[in-house]
DNA sequence: CGACTGACGCCGA
DNA sequence: CTCGGCGCCAGTC
């Protein structure tokens, strides 16, 4: 299977109302040290595929796009729509960070 | 083929 | 907390 597909499918496992970092997604997708690839993959999601790209943030909880940019605003809106609090272009990972359960990963990450 | 470019991450100042 | 610098890696030119 293609790396992008592994990434997209991994992001689809992130629960509503929770967020994960690019590096975390890369690791879960079996692609350590490929955080940048995750960003690239999320920017190339096919129109017919539903992927909650907005649930992926930088490792410090900040939105990867420049504050105030159309993209950042769009991401913030999506997050807030599902209850994730965004302040100053950032989310508190201690509060909304996703800590995946091993059993759930094994069940839902069939590559 | 080498240079450049990021939806990244980590560390030190 | 913010920068700057550097390592990383796939894609592009």
């Amino acid at each position: 299977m293609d790396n992008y597909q592994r990434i997209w499918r991994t992001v689809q496992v992130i629960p509503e109302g929770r967020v994960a970092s690019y590096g975390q997604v890369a690791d879960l997708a079996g692609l350590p040290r490929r955080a940048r690839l995750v960003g690239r993959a999320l920017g190339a999601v096919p129109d017919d595929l539903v992927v909650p790209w907005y649930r992926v943030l930088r490792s410090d909880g900040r939105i990867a796009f420049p504050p105030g940019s159309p993209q950042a605003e769009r991401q913030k809106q999506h997050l807030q729509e599902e209850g994730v609090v965004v302040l100053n272009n950032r989310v508190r990972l201690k509060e909304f960070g996703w800590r995946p359960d091993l059993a759930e990963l094994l069940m839902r990450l069939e590559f």
Side-chain angles (χ1 to χ4, degrees):
Chain A
M1 169 181 307
D2 178 279
N3 284 343
Y4 279 21
Q5 299 218 35
R6 295 170 67 105
I7 292 170
W8 295 331
R9 296 177 60 167
T10 300
V11 172
Q12 291 176 321
V13 177
I14 303 173
E16 180 180 336
R18 322 242 39 201
V19 299
S21 71
Y22 292 91
Q24 182 181 7
V25 171
D27 287 341
L28 294 178
L31 301 167
R33 283 174 273 108
R34 245 71 61 85
R36 302 189 98 119
L37 185 61
V38 173
R40 190 176 291 287
L42 291 184
V45 178
D47 298 325
D48 56 16
L49 193 63
V50 179
V51 177
W53 57 271
Y54 52 86
R55 307 216 265 243
V56 184
L57 309 170
R58 281 174 130 139
S59 62
D60 60 3
R62 287 186 312 176
I63 288 178
F65 301 107
S69 66
Q71 309 237 47
E73 289 305 308
R74 194 153 45 242
Q75 182 161 15
K76 179 173 69 175
Q77 186 183 332
H78 276 296
L79 289 171
Q80 299 189 319
E81 275 176 18
E82 51 183 58
V84 176
V85 179
V86 183
L87 288 179
N88 299 313
N89 217 63
R90 145 180 327 181
V91 170
R92 291 187 58 187
L93 295 184
K94 305 283 293 190
E95 195 171 351
F96 302 101
W98 176 45
R99 259 92 55 192
D101 172 73
L102 180 55
E104 181 186 4
L105 285 179
L106 293 177
M107 292 298 292
R108 306 190 57 185
L109 275 183
E110 278 298 327
F111 287 129

